[in-house]
Each structure stands twice: as structure tokens, then as C-alpha cells.
Amino acid sequence: GAVVSQHPSWVICKSGTSVKIECRSLDFQATTMFWYRQFPKQSLMLMATSNEGSKATYEQGVEKDKFLINHASLTLSTLTVTSAHPEDSSFYICSAARLAGDGELFFGEGSRLTVL
Amino acid sequence: QKEVEQNSGPLSVPEGAIASLNCTYSDRGSQSFFWYRQYSGKSPELIMFIYSNGDKEDGRFTAQLNKASQYVSLLIRDSQPSDSATYLCAVQYSSASKIIFGSGTRLSIRP
């Protein structure tokens, strides 16, 4: 149990286009999902906290108009990278906390974005 | 000051020996502490979590927490080559709050 699925697992796009990444909790409900970004040889940096039915909370330095987060249901959160640029190329990972759980995070497989 | 600090390594340990990974955190009110393992190009996977002061053992892994010193560690006994990975320490303030990761320690087990 406690599976988090992320899609797509990798994507290549042209500069200026937008890319949507989906994060689904397959067998549990998650009121809170977290979006992380990881550059090569660096740790996971929290981008935003996504709460079902409300606006996401962004970390300092993360542009909310560039990284649009929607958490429309208890099992789905989406991250849209708008007007992507090469510097947005990174490994994006979502994680979900189980409703009424013990705080453990379950991670998706990650989505590798390459912007040409 | 970083919220969660780890030595980046690499830490090289001979096969069969004990690997010791350390982590310090800045927020004294933190309540939950996690160790994740991450292989290159993959998502992190949870190894252990610990909430209370003292030791917690699970197979070859032992997590140690000292809240007074704001210190958490992970011991890996009988290290195997498959243990070679980056180990991420993570800290959570409360059960519903965000988890902050350290920069990770790269562990290499040499045969």
C-alpha cells in the first residue's frame, strides 16, 4: 500500500512551453502533497505544499506564477511549469502524507524535466 | 544557518563494517526525524523514522536521536555494496507540516 504515482517520468520540451506533472496517491487519500525539486548532486528542495481544496503554500524564492499547483482532489495534485526555460530542467518529485497518518511521506517516482 | 545539516561525504566504508551517518538540525521544536536512501536518478525511499530520544533498531539499521543535542544518526551494520547510495536526513516539525531535507551524505561501501 501507500503508492504514489507520478506522470510523466520524463519529459523534454522546448523553451517557452508549459509542462504539467501529475502526482496521484493510488491507494490512500492525501490532504497534503509536497513538491520538491532536485538538481544534480543536490538535495531535495521543497518548492511548495499543496493542500486539497486550497491554495498552495510556496517556499521563499519559488515563483507561484511560474510553478502552478492544483490539488483538486484527495488523490491528485498537479504541478505546471509555465514558460519553461533551460534553468528549470530538474528532477521534480512529489510526496504525499496519508490522511490521519503518522507523518510519513510517500514519494512518487519523480519526473525528470529537460528544457531545450 | 541551514535547517538540517549533513556531511556531504563521500564516506567510504569497507564491506562488513559499520557505517555511521550523522545529522544535526536547527529547530529545537522538531518532532519527527527520518532517514531516506536515494540511489542515483531515483526517488528517496524511507529507511527509518524516529520520534523519541534513544535508539531504534530495524534489522541492520539503527537510528539514534538526541533532542538535547539536536542530533540524529544512522548506523548501518554489516555494510553491503548495495548500501552504497546517498542518505538523506529529514526533519519534520509536526505530523502535518513540511519535511525539510539535509543535503545528503554519499556512502560508498568498498568490497
Side-chain angles (χ1 to χ4, degrees):
Chain A
V3 176
V4 176
S5 175
Q6 221 176 306
H7 177 82
S9 55
W10 59 270
V11 58
I12 300 173
C13 69
K14 292 182 179 180
S15 185
T17 61
S18 294
V19 174
K20 180 186 284 188
I21 301 170
E22 292 186 350
C23 179
R24 292 180 185 271
S25 55
L26 297 186
D27 52 0
F28 67 99
Q29 292 182 325
T31 52
T32 304
M33 290 185 175
F34 301 92
W35 286 95
Y36 291 87
R37 178 169 54 183
Q38 186 176 37
F39 293 107
K41 299 190 187 301
Q42 296 186 25
S43 188
L44 281 74
M45 297 302 296
L46 180 65
M47 299 176 66
T49 302
S50 168
N51 296 296
E52 187 267 337
S54 65
K55 291 183 179 180
T57 303
Y58 290 82
E59 294 299 302
Q60 190 174 9
V62 179
E63 300 175 58
K64 62 179 181 181
D65 294 330
K66 181 170 182 62
F67 299 99
L68 301 179
I69 291 173
N70 183 278
H71 193 157
S73 75
L74 288 173
T75 59
L76 173 64
S77 176
T78 61
L79 168 68
T80 301
V81 182
T82 62
S83 186
H85 290 281
E87 58 265 32
D88 298 325
S89 299
S90 188
F91 192 43
Y92 292 87
I93 309 173
C94 74
S95 64
R98 188 161 33 192
L99 183 66
D102 55 11
E104 180 184 351
L105 284 188
F106 301 94
F107 283 85
E109 310 96 324
S111 299
R112 187 163 300 283
L113 170 64
T114 301
V115 184
L116 302 177
Chain B
Q1 181 187 5
K2 289 184 178 179
E3 295 182 61
V4 182
E5 294 210 44
Q6 293 181 256
N7 188 319
S8 61
L11 175 65
S12 181
V13 173
E15 184 175 356
I18 296 176
S20 177
L21 304 163
N22 304 314
C23 172
T24 57
Y25 59 94
S26 61
D27 191 334
R28 187 171 288 277
S30 300
Q31 296 186 8
S32 306
F33 307 87
F34 305 84
W35 282 100
Y36 286 84
R37 176 174 62 196
Q38 186 177 29
Y39 294 110
S40 181
K42 302 293 185 182
S43 272
E45 54 180 324
L46 182 67
I47 298 176
M48 291 192 69
F49 61 87
I50 186 167
Y51 304 141
S52 304
N53 275 327
D55 295 359
K56 180 181 179 182
E57 187 174 318
D58 183 1
R60 296 188 296 114
F61 300 95
T62 299
Q64 299 174 317
L65 174 61
N66 183 326
K67 289 187 177 182
S69 300
Q70 295 174 238
Y71 176 92
V72 58
S73 65
L74 179 70
L75 300 178
I76 306 175
R77 289 181 299 280
D78 187 24
S79 297
Q80 303 296 311
S82 58
D83 295 327
S84 297
T86 296
Y87 288 79
L88 301 168
C89 172
V91 175
Q92 187 179 41
Y93 185 75
S94 67
S95 63
S97 69
K98 60 190 179 186
I99 290 182
I100 303 300
F101 285 82
S103 55
T105 297
R106 193 153 51 93
L107 175 66
S108 175
I109 307 300
R110 56 181 189 272

